Amino acid sequence: MSDSKLAGQFFDAAIGLLRQVRDEDAGEIEAAGTLIADTVVDGGRLFAFGAGHSSLAAQDIVYRAGGLALMNLLAVPGVVGVDVMPATLGSALERVDGLASAVLDCSPLRSGDLLVIISLSGRNALPVEMAMKARALGVKVIGVTSVAYATETSSRHVSGTYLKDHCDIVLDSRIPIGDAELTLDSIAAPFAPASTVVTSALLQAVMATAAGALADRGVEPPLLRSGNVDGGHEWNSRVMTEYGDRIFYRR
């Protein structure tokens, strides 16, 4: 099989997943965007968390041109990406009981805030405990996960539950178990993961919905502009000054 045919198959698979999410998650996307808009209007703060490669989608909505300036990254040392050495440490930390509680106890999250938690499998102790603890604090939780994992894997949290069980809104990425879209007889393992593409698109759809919901209420969405266009830095400085008490990535 030619390399170009495999590339085409991956694009087809990713496009198929995007269409499925668009059509089947429409209600949840609208609800999530509305909840974010509600939080902004009510004076709450916005945070996003993801471990390992799930952190890529979280980072994509923080300090992002065209994105909401109020979205902050909730970082857990050692699990934000593959820059930690060894990279396997991040995977190990996701399974540590108590880590999420320690992080939230030291974080600025408070009642009335909103936290987006991204975990493809939703089975590890860290995202499950984080959702449980955040809701106990009065924080609204939007979970982004593949619900299918809960049907074919066992939970790694002492409660036996999954991220999806502790969220105000669940966004199902529809990613199949194992996160690999292609197989080939001459290659032993499945390959070509699509979770980053789909999860990032799903969250950008939510952010777009939130911006529209704010505008519908007569509230100017606190959006950032690209710093690489004329006037971008000045625009962003104004927004960050206006909402400085809710932006933590500048401190």
Side-chain angles (χ1 to χ4, degrees), residues 4-198:
S4 61
K5 188 170 183 180
L6 286 172
Q9 287 183 356
F10 175 76
F11 280 120
D12 288 343
I15 290 168
L17 285 165
L18 289 170
R19 285 175 172 160
Q20 187 179 8
V21 168
R22 178 196 63 190
D23 297 340
E24 298 180 16
D25 284 15
E28 289 78 8
I29 290 170
E30 182 174 359
T34 300
L35 185 57
I36 289 174
D38 291 343
T39 303
V40 173
V41 171
D42 294 341
R45 294 90 60 81
L46 308 175
F47 297 85
F49 166 78
H53 286 93
S54 290
S55 71
L56 296 174
Q59 294 177 60
D60 193 49
I61 56 173
V62 175
Y63 187 49
R64 175 74 171 170
L68 291 174
L70 305 191
M71 186 62 71
N72 301 277
L73 185 67
L74 181 63
V76 178
V79 305
V80 175
V82 295
D83 57 333
V84 62
M85 293 297 175
T88 52
L89 174 62
S91 298
L93 289 174
E94 287 187 70
R95 300 191 291 272
V96 174
D97 293 325
L99 179 56
S101 295
V103 168
L104 290 179
D105 286 345
C106 298
S107 79
L109 264 88
R110 65 189 185 193
S111 179
D113 290 347
L114 181 144
L115 174 61
V116 178
I117 301 177
I118 306 157
S119 173
L120 178 60
S121 71
R123 68 188 295 226
N124 287 310
L126 180 56
V128 175
E129 181 185 327
M130 184 169 289
M132 295 173 70
K133 175 74 172 181
R135 293 185 84 191
L137 292 172
V139 174
K140 296 294 185 182
V141 175
I142 296 174
V144 188
T145 187
S146 172
V147 173
Y149 273 82
T151 66
E152 298 186 36
T153 68
S154 58
S155 170
R156 288 174 173 154
H157 187 261
V158 65
S159 67
T161 60
Y162 298 78
L163 170 61
K164 71 176 185 62
D165 299 317
H166 305 284
C167 301
D168 296 279
I169 298 171
V170 176
L171 299 172
D172 188 355
S173 64
R174 316 283 169 167
I175 299 296
I177 305 296
D179 190 19
E181 296 301 316
L182 302 183
T183 59
L184 200 61
D185 290 343
S186 58
I187 300 178
F191 56 101
S195 60
T196 303
V197 173
V198 175

Side-chain angles (χ1 to χ4, degrees), residues 1 31 40 58 79 209 226:
M1 179 178 293
V40 173
V79 305
T209 302
S226 171

Side-chain angles (χ1 to χ4, degrees), residues 239-251:
V239 172
M240 290 181 181
T241 298
E242 182 176 352
Y243 290 95
D245 61 331
R246 291 195 259 177
I247 295 174
F248 296 90
Y249 50 80
R250 298 186 72 195
R251 302 178 185 178

